[in-house]
Amino acid sequence: DAKTTQPPSMDCAEGRAANLPCNHSTISGNEYVYWYRQIHSQGPQYIIHGLKNNETNEMASLIITEDRKSSTLILPHATLRDTAVYYCIVPTSGTYKYIFGTGTRLKVLA
Amino acid sequence: DGGITQSPKYLFRKEGQNVTLSCEQNLNHDAMYWYRQDPGQGLRLIYYSQIVNDFQKGDIAEGYSVSREKKESFPLTVTSAQKNPTAFYLCASFPGRMNTEAFFGQGTRLTVV
């Protein structure tokens, strides 16, 4: 199973970009990187996913390194409502096994 | 609207009783999952199922049981063998295509007294 490593916590000033890193050094060639976030006591919310190219949607951007061993989720203009725990996940190819790591607790400061 | 439904939202049981948590999806997803979350902790995988009539243990399956008789349903039973059953339980489903995301229910908070 691909394992992910994230810093336990980060702070970000409101209106600034939040850059959340994730290491996934054991990722296989056909496994995607997914990002979700969880606001207190709710189900996780999908943010974005990618395979090897950088991706952008209305919520965030995902930058994946060329060797695919790490990625960064970018929230371009963080707001107070972005305060949450952010999880980087690499589902196991073939088994679809979704393993969550400990995530990064992002606090956006006014 | 398509979605994944967990019920009930809050559940109380006496110690020593088995309890079954419901998870239903109308998304036509092949795979379904159960996670446990303790306060301040991440999500830990209990069981998952890739197809009907098949399921695999996750990292913390002891004291839990599941069934997958229908594609839409993946109930979780918390048995009396589970030492610390009080927790937040989340169900999820996944289409089975790697370029798509998983969907999560809103969770069931189980309290055993």
Side-chain angles (χ1 to χ4, degrees):
Chain A
D1 300 346
K3 302 294 186 188
T4 60
T5 305
Q6 300 176 252
S9 64
M10 294 181 66
D11 291 341
C12 177
E14 188 177 20
R16 304 295 295 269
N19 297 283
L20 291 87
C22 179
N23 287 320
H24 32 79
S25 59
T26 60
I27 192 170
S28 297
N30 61 347
E31 291 175 340
Y32 284 76
V33 181
Y34 288 78
W35 283 83
Y36 292 81
R37 71 181 182 185
Q38 186 181 26
I39 297 171
H40 183 64
S41 296
Q42 297 181 21
Q45 175 191 21
Y46 166 78
I47 302 173
I48 198 167
H49 72 280
L51 181 62
K52 57 180 72 174
N53 299 319
N54 298 339
E55 302 287 345
T56 296
N57 63 19
E58 64 277 6
M59 288 183 69
S61 295
L62 174 61
I63 308 298
I64 302 174
T65 58
E66 193 169 340
D67 63 7
R68 302 210 325 121
K69 293 183 184 299
S70 65
S71 60
T72 300
L73 178 75
I74 301 172
L75 308 178
H77 306 287
T79 70
L80 298 178
R81 286 181 292 182
D82 292 322
T83 293
V85 179
Y86 287 78
Y87 294 98
C88 164
I89 302 166
V90 178
T92 303
S93 176
T95 67
Y96 312 133
K97 191 174 180 182
Y98 254 67
I99 299 293
F100 283 77
T102 53
T104 296
R105 189 173 298 274
L106 175 69
K107 183 184 287 187
V108 180
L109 305 172
Chain B
D1 288 338
I4 182 165
T5 302
Q6 290 186 243
S7 61
K9 190 170 183 178
Y10 299 96
L11 190 55
F12 295 86
R13 279 294 182 269
K14 290 185 177 180
E15 192 172 349
Q17 291 182 333
N18 291 356
V19 58
T20 298
L21 281 59
S22 169
C23 179
E24 303 279 331
Q25 55 102 355
N26 60 2
L27 301 165
N28 199 34
H29 286 177
D30 288 323
M32 296 187 74
Y33 308 79
W34 274 105
Y35 296 90
R36 170 184 173 133
Q37 188 170 37
D38 293 289
Q41 305 296 312
L43 283 72
R44 292 185 289 169
L45 183 64
I46 305 172
Y47 269 99
Y48 66 107
S49 167
Q50 293 174 263
I51 57 172
V52 175
N53 293 321
D54 186 51
F55 48 83
Q56 285 78 41
K57 293 181 179 180
D59 297 328
I60 55 164
E62 186 175 350
Y64 299 97
S65 66
V66 293
S67 63
R68 186 86 188 277
E69 297 176 1
K70 299 186 299 181
K71 191 174 189 178
E72 302 79 22
S73 179
F74 191 42
L76 173 74
T77 297
V78 184
T79 74
S80 56
Q82 169 51 235
K83 301 299 183 193
N84 297 295
T86 294
F88 185 54
Y89 291 89
L90 279 160
C91 179
S93 70
F94 179 61
R97 300 184 301 280
M98 291 308 290
N99 192 22
T100 52
E101 70 269 25
F103 289 74
F104 287 82
Q106 288 306 302
T108 293
R109 188 166 300 279
L110 172 65
T111 302
V112 175
V113 296

